[in-house]
Amino acid sequence: MLPYIDIPFQYGANLSGASVDELKLIFSFFLSYPLAGVLKRIPDAKPYQKNLFIITISLFYLVGLFDLWGGIRTLLISSVGAYLIAKHIKDDYMPWLGFVFLMGHMSFSHIIRQNLNAPDKLDITGKGSRESGQTNRLT
């Protein structure tokens, strides 16, 4: 995580009662709109610049803002798997195999997340198990 990036979010969390990660998530939504305008102005004739911009912003969100190093692994598994399926399977069922692989990987990630049962932690699959329908009962 970038040094000192949590300071304004901690201050806002103390004032509002929201968690630091919730404020970071709201901030990232608001920051994404002007960044989309910047992306639109990168020339289409230079796709490497667009790709570099997208990768840089994604790394800033994942690592710099949210400290989600495990999210990089999850994205690499999904993207490399989809790439390898598209490159090496020259069958009519290639799109279906890609779809099943990606949905299976996403389902596996969500199941692991729910089993952790840590609603206060943010990860690449979403925030906590309470938002996914589970409730924690103190019995």
Side-chain angles (χ1 to χ4, degrees), residues 7-69:
I7 293 172
F9 297 108
Q10 288 171 347
Y11 178 74
N14 290 336
L15 289 177
S16 66
S19 74
V20 172
D21 284 337
E22 290 169 341
L23 292 179
K24 285 181 183 180
L25 195 58
I26 293 169
F27 171 76
S28 68
F29 288 149
F30 285 124
L31 182 61
S32 294
Y33 188 77
L35 289 174
V38 173
L39 178 64
K40 184 71 176 159
R41 278 144 186 84
I42 298 174
D44 289 336
K46 299 180 180 179
Y48 66 93
Q49 288 181 350
K50 284 189 174 227
N51 292 338
L52 184 62
F53 180 79
I54 291 168
I55 291 169
T56 302
I57 298 304
S58 298
L59 285 175
F60 166 72
Y61 280 159
L62 280 174
V63 179
L65 189 61
F66 289 107
D67 201 27
L68 294 175
W69 289 94

Side-chain angles (χ1 to χ4, degrees), residues 2 23 37 47-48 58 65 67 77 91 93 104 106 113 132 138:
L2 294 174
L23 292 179
Y48 66 93
S58 298
L65 189 61
D67 201 27
I77 291 170
D91 193 45
Y93 294 109
M106 182 179 64
R113 175 64 181 154
S132 60
L138 299 173

